[in-house]
């Protein structure tokens, strides 16, 4: 056989392998160092070409070295040897907003540094890279014995953790994290960079295109990205901000592949998913669907309505509240989708089925029976009993914490008040001066008129939820008030609050005479309400919910252990806990409802279809329209089209925003930023038929950087792959 023929045959074989529908999309967020053991074969069967060591290795550089925990809440990835960092627009939003003003409105117009000097610093922003992860379960649980009570057990675990941290102390920041409700403990060492500068962000009309209307939805047309750069000391180690710092040289940065990904191709998401709850029993799921989510949705609805009205009237308020509004509406909308999704996928029945199977299995085995028979009934009873408390907890958080800025601000005076009460003059003066310094940040984005309206709408909801048991005199008095009187009380509270009446005077009095300032603060209605609501939360509600939590944790841990033992062939992965994970699946559309099939890709044509001139969600920059008209897409086009977003069946959650979407060779093809409406219930009930993660196509990102923003120098820093690997190109040629 000639060599040419062999090559051809191989190409045909590869083509054949590629068109076999891969095993199926996979539920789960997997621990990177266990992939070799648990997932690598499965991933390879779905089209992964790299090895488990390429994904995670501690001895050599691996993909993990390019994955960054961005500010603790999002993910980002290193995409050049000069520390260039890619994340979502909504992840960099707070930073973009903080550099914005009416004159220099980067939220609206975008921002592009055309060289290093123009990059903007972001005090407080961190970029963390995992150096290693080690299982320390045995060390953490050493000396923990069955006869210990909860306190003894917790104390022993704490002591062991302290020892592990001390034994491993070195150049990295360390933490020991519980996984699977404490069935497993992992020591994580990180390098935490503190000088992270803003390099570029598209205007919101691209980065947040479709805003809240399109949020959590497919088809999507958002260019949700922003670019930062990590700086290090001259030794390439983390350093506080300094002009002398230099761009960080990562151990590995991602290669960028401009070939896109077709339906059925393998994808994986590497990042820091925040939190999921996949192992809850059916009754708790029912509470979420029928009680917790609806109550929280209703509160946010009324808050959002109040904010929206004023934001539409005033440009200044819109800038001030853009970030807050987005945060509040994001969870609100997600909960609506979550309830809907759990109903359509019959999440309660599904959990009940699992519970039945589990119970039947353990009843047939004496060992299991003695070990696990009590677990489910007790766990479910705990969730039942906890319900009224959870409602109170949620209602406090929604109305008086997230829902009211004055209250939240005043909760921050507790330290000053206790120093005042202890008569600790020196410390009081230092702390009061610090507080005075920080006030500008609060006032910059505060609109007291709006906050007062929110309080008027939400205080009655709060008071209605507070239980009379344990409530203070003030709360009881307010609870008894009729609507008109309560309304007057709020008007008066705001009118007389010196914190908001005259910001300059309040700052000055904190600095000049803190004792007097705190004395008057204590007498104000505003502080008294803050103190009463906070105290009720901390002293009445919290101790009770924490007591439940401890018991629930323990039973959830046993439930998970039981599930694993009884169903060894089913995949059980630990819930997300803001640690580094890998999810994998494939590019695929889905069927949101009967008679409808969604495709997997969107294009610039779709962006233009949604365009509404002047609209605050669907307006577009003129330049983008021009680029569309002239089809000036450069090397980023797919044929004569410009790809924008795509979806895949990777199991993701909040915190995965900004995560790289990688192809089978570990190259960057997209940037994760959202999930689809029908699938937001994936945090409790992942369903492969409906759950999809949404990514912006990397080609759209680079097109915006290069063609729209003329910041092509950034693309030049990257390693681009613009051709299919030879075998695949050949296979495509011979494919019919
Ligand atoms: N839904 C996405 C995530 O949970 C994106 C949110 C940002 N966009 C917005 N319109 N609020 O965080
Ligand atoms: N948008 C989310 C985030 O900010 C991602 C998600 O929930 O799917 O992390």
């Amino acid at each position: 056989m000639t060599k040419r023929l062999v090559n051809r045959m191989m190409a045909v074989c590869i083509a054949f392998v590629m068109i076999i529908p891969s095993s199926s999309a996979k539920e789960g967020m997997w621990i990177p160092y266990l992939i070799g053991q648990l997932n690598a074969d499965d991933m390879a069967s779905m089209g992964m070409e790299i090895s488990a060591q390429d994904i995670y290795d501690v001895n050599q550089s691996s993909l993990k070295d390019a994955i960054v925990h961005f500010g603790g809440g999002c993910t980002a990835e290193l995409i050049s040897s000069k520390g260039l960092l890619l994340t979502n627009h909504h992840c960099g939003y707070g930073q973009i907003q903080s550099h914005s003003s009416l004159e220099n409105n980067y939220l609206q117009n975008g921002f592009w540094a055309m060289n290093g000097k123009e990059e903007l610093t972001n005090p407080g922003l961190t970029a963390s890279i995992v150096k290693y992860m080690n299982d320390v379960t045995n060390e953490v649980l050493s000396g923990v014995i069955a006869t210990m009570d909860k306190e003894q057990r917790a104390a022993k675990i704490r002591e062991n953790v302290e020892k592990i941290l001390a034994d491993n102390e070195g150049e990295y920041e360390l933490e020991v994290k519980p996984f699977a409700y404490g069935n497993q403990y992992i020591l994580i060492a990180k390098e935490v960079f503190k000088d992270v500068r803003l390099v570029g962000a598209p205007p919101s009309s691209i980065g947040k295109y479709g805003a809240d209307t399109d949020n959590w939805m497919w088809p999507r047309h958002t260019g949700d990205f922003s670019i930062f750069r990590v700086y290090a000391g001259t030794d390439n180690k983390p350093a506080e901000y300094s002009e002398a710092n230099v761009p960080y040289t990562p151990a590995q940065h991602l290669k960028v592949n401009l070939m896109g990904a077709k339906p059925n191709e393998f994808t994986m998401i590497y990042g820091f998913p925040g939190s999921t709850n996949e192992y809850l029993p059916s009754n708790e799921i029912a509470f979420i669907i029928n009680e917790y989510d609806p109550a929280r949705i209703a509160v946010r609805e009324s808050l959002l309505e109040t904010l929206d009205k004023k934001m539409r009237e005033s440009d200044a308020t819109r800038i001030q509240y853009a970030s807050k509004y987005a945060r509040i509406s994001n969870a609100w909308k997600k909960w609506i989708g979550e309830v809907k999704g759990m109903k359509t996928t019959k999440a309660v029945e599904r959990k009940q089925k699992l519970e039945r199977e589990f119970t039947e299995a353990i009843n047939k085995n004496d060992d299991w029976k003695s070990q696990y028979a009590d677990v489910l009934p007790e766990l479910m009873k705990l969730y039942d009993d906890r319900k009224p408390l959870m409602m109170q907890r949620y209602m406090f958080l929604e109305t008086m914490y997230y829902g009211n800025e004055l209250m939240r601000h005043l909760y921050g005076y507790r330290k000053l008040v206790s120093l005042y009460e202890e008569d600790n003059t020196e410390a009081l003066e230092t702390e009061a001066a610090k507080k005075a310094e920080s006030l500008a940040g609060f006032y910059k984005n505060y609109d007291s008129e709006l906050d007062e309206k929110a309080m008027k709408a939400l205080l009655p909801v709060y008071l209605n939820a507070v239980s009379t048991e344990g409530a203070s005199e003030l709360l009881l008095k307010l609870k008894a008030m009729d609507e008109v009187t309560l309304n007057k009380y709020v008007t008066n509270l705001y009118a007389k609050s010196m914190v908001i009446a005259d910001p300059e005077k309040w700052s000055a009095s904190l600095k000049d005479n803190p004792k007097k300032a705190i004395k008057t603060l204590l007498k104000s209605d505003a502080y008294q309400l803050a103190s009463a609501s906070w105290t009720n939360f901390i002293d009445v509600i919290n101790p009770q919910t924490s007591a439940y939590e401890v018991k629930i944790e323990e039973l959830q841990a046993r439930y998970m252990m039981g599930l694993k033992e009884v169903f060894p062939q089913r995949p059980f992965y630990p819930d997300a806990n803001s640690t580094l994970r890998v999810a994998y699946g494939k590019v695929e559309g889905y069927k949101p409802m009967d008679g409808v099939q969604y495709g997997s890709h969107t294009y610039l044509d779709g962006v233009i279809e949604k365009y509404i001139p002047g609209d605050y969600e669907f307006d577009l920059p003129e330049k983008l329209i021009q680029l569309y008209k002239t089809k000036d897409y450069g090397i980023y086009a797919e044929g004569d089209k410009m790809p924008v977003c795509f979806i895949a069946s990777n199991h993701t959650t909040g915190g995965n925003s900004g995560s790289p979407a990688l192809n089978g060779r570990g190259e960057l093809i997209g940037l994760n930023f959202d999930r689809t409406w029908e699938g937001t219930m994936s945090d409790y009930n992942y369903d492969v038929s409906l759950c999809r993660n949404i990514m912006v196509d990397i080609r759209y990102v680079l097109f915006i950087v290069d063609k729209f923003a003329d910041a092509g120098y950034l693309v030049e820093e990257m390693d681009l792959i613009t051709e299919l690997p030879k075998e695949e190109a050949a296979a495509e040629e011979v494919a019919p």
Side-chain angles (χ1 to χ4, degrees), residues 73-74 88 90-91 215-216 330 334 652-658 672-675:
C74 276
N88 290 142
H90 80 261
C91 293
N215 190 23
W216 298 113
N330 194 42
K334 181 191 158 186
T652 56
T653 188
N656 266 127
S657 273
N672 186 70
F673 70 98
D674 210 0
R675 277 171 287 162

Side-chain angles (χ1 to χ4, degrees), residues 31-69:
I31 300 173
Y33 72 80
L34 293 176
I35 281 183
Q37 209 177 313
L38 296 178
N39 316 94
D41 291 345
D42 190 33
M43 292 166 90
S45 80
M46 290 175 68
M48 185 173 80
E49 296 169 38
I50 56 175
S51 70
Q53 285 73 29
D54 293 328
I55 295 174
Y56 178 94
D57 201 335
V58 279
N59 302 315
Q60 291 168 51
S61 82
S62 62
L63 287 174
K64 88 158 176 22
D65 300 313
I67 315 300
V68 168
H69 207 182

Side-chain angles (χ1 to χ4, degrees), residues 26 99 144 155 231 437 450 498 569 654 721:
K26 284 289 178 286
H99 296 294
V144 174
Y231 278 78
E437 283 305 306
L450 194 51
M498 58 280 212
Q569 59 296 44
I721 295 164

Side-chain angles (χ1 to χ4, degrees), residues 577-641:
N577 59 354
S578 294
T579 59
L580 189 60
R581 302 290 180 95
V582 172
Y584 58 97
K586 56 184 181 174
V587 177
E588 54 181 324
Y590 69 109
K591 201 170 171 317
M593 62 192 107
D594 189 33
V596 180
Q597 177 68 41
Y598 281 157
S600 53
H601 285 72
T602 59
Y603 295 89
L604 194 56
D605 308 66
V607 176
I608 302 293
E609 273 168 27
K610 285 182 177 172
Y611 172 44
I612 307 173
D615 185 76
Y616 99 105
E617 298 190 303
F618 291 98
D619 200 7
L620 282 173
E622 191 46 44
K623 183 159 181 195
L624 186 67
I625 299 171
Q626 277 315 313
L627 289 166
Y628 173 72
K629 283 189 179 149
T630 52
K631 301 263 175 290
D632 186 5
Y633 303 152
I635 55 170
Y636 311 108
E638 186 181 285
D640 62 349
K641 285 161 84 101

Side-chain angles (χ1 to χ4, degrees), residues 256-260 635-636 667 702 719-725:
V256 179
N257 187 307
L258 298 188
M259 300 309 293
I635 55 170
Y636 311 108
E667 298 152 356
L702 298 197
D719 297 337
L720 300 186
I721 295 164
T722 54
E723 281 173 14
L724 286 176

Side-chain angles (χ1 to χ4, degrees), residues 195 197 231-235 239-247:
D195 184 355
R197 305 184 193 172
Y231 278 78
T234 43
D235 55 359
E240 293 296 333
Y241 169 79
S242 155
E243 251 185 72
N245 285 350
V246 294

